[in-house]
Every structure is written in structure tokens, then in C-alpha cells.
Amino acid sequence: MEKELIESSKLAALGTVAAGIAHEVNNLLAIILGMAQIAPRQNKTEELKHALDVIAQTCERAKNITLNLLAFARGRRAARTVCDITIPVGKAIDLMEREFEKHGIRLEKKFEYVPPVECDPGQISQVCLNLLANARDAIPESGGTVTVEIKPHSEKNVLLRVSDTGVGIPQEV
């Protein structure tokens, strides 16, 4: 019975991971599709270049998700490096900015200086993109604000906070 319970827990965790990956890939495909649809209507070279840059960045993120998934399946850790955390966070923000504008959402960035941290920049971007997409979905059509905050938390830790003025999750859920 204990063995079945452990197996059931593993399957539940796998289902959660699969759902998260499907959500992430769906977000990336939505960005690619949206940019591919508006790119032909761009009259200015810089607007077209921006749309193509976003498509290229999003494809790169999708590639990194696939590589991380393959590494996970093979039992390897994702690539960690020392980096300025504002860079991967900024990339995720760049991918969502037009979405926010389209939904009447104001974006506030509160970035304090933090020293470089050891992290997987791709995973930081993925998590940030998911949090930003969830924030967008939580805000009513009348608009609202999403705040992204980076600041020192302790001598060795950094705080990354994404908050929104949406309705939140009902207490019973």
C-alpha cells in the first residue's frame, strides 16, 4: 500500500510538471503567434524588427525549455551561472509588455541594485514569464497594475516579487 501511495505521489507530481510545461509552451506559442500576426502589418522597419526580435527571443526560450526538460529527464541539473538577475527578469518583462499594454495594465519596475547571483537565467525568465502571465490573467478588463520588484533580501539572497492588483484566488480554492 505504501509503495502504491509513493507511486501515486510521483504520478501526481509528474502531472503537475506536465501541466506547468504545457502552460509555459502555450504562453510562448501565444506570443509567437501574436507577433507573427502583427508583423506583416508593421509599416515601420523598427516595429517589424521588434516583432521579429520578440519571435526570436521566444523561440530561444522554447528551445531552452526543451533542453531543460531533456536534462531533467536524463537526471541532470539545469545550467547555473553567476549573472545579473535583472537581465532574465527584464527579458520576461519585454515579452509581456505589449500584452500588458493591450489589456490596459500598467507595469511598475522597482529594481534596486543587487549583486550578481548564481542561478539558471532561463529558469528565472520562465518563472517570471509565468508569474507575469498569471498576473495579466488576474487583472480585470478595466485594467490594473503589475509590479516587479528586485531587491536585496539578505547577505546571500535576493528578493524577486511579482504582485498585481487583480482579484486574487478565492479563499476556498
Side-chain angles (χ1 to χ4, degrees):
M1 193 126 170
E2 184 178 335
K3 197 174 184 178
E4 285 180 24
L5 183 61
I6 291 170
E7 194 62 32
S8 176
S9 293
K10 285 181 185 178
L11 287 173
L14 183 60
T16 301
V17 168
I21 291 168
H23 178 74
E24 179 72 15
V25 169
N26 191 49
N27 285 342
L28 296 174
L29 290 173
I31 292 168
I32 292 168
L33 179 62
M35 287 295 165
Q37 288 172 336
I38 67 168
R41 292 188 288 245
Q42 302 304 317
N43 295 329
K44 296 180 182 169
T45 304
E46 57 271 2
E47 290 174 350
L48 179 59
K49 183 184 179 311
H50 174 74
L52 293 174
D53 285 345
V54 170
I55 290 170
Q57 288 174 4
T58 307
C59 287
E60 185 68 30
R61 287 192 24 71
K63 181 183 100 178
N64 288 336
I65 290 169
T66 304
L67 291 174
N68 287 341
L69 185 58
L70 291 171
F72 175 77
R74 294 179 186 128
R76 290 189 215 129
R77 288 183 59 192
R80 295 173 68 95
T81 184
V82 175
C83 77
D84 176 354
I85 196 166
T86 61
I87 293 171
V89 172
K91 287 180 180 179
I93 290 170
D94 288 347
L95 291 173
M96 291 296 293
E97 261 181 326
R98 290 197 188 245
E99 272 291 300
F100 285 177
E101 288 172 12
K102 194 167 69 174
H103 288 86
I105 298 170
R106 192 167 66 91
L107 178 67
E108 286 184 3
K109 293 190 285 189
K110 297 180 178 180
F111 291 5
E112 293 181 26
Y113 171 78
V114 293
V117 295
E118 183 181 343
C119 66
D120 177 344
Q123 286 186 346
I124 296 295
S125 285
Q126 287 173 343
V127 167
C128 223
L129 188 62
N130 281 342
L131 292 172
L132 292 168
N134 290 342
R136 176 206 57 209
D137 294 344
I139 293 178
E141 288 182 25
S142 58
T145 304
V146 173
T147 304
V148 180
E149 181 180 8
I150 297 174
K151 66 181 186 179
H153 183 64
S154 68
E155 190 175 307
K156 293 184 176 184
N157 297 302
V158 170
L159 174 73
L160 166 61
R161 177 182 294 146
V162 177
S163 56
D164 62 69
T165 57
V167 294
I169 299 171
Q171 186 66 27
E172 61 273 7
V173 175

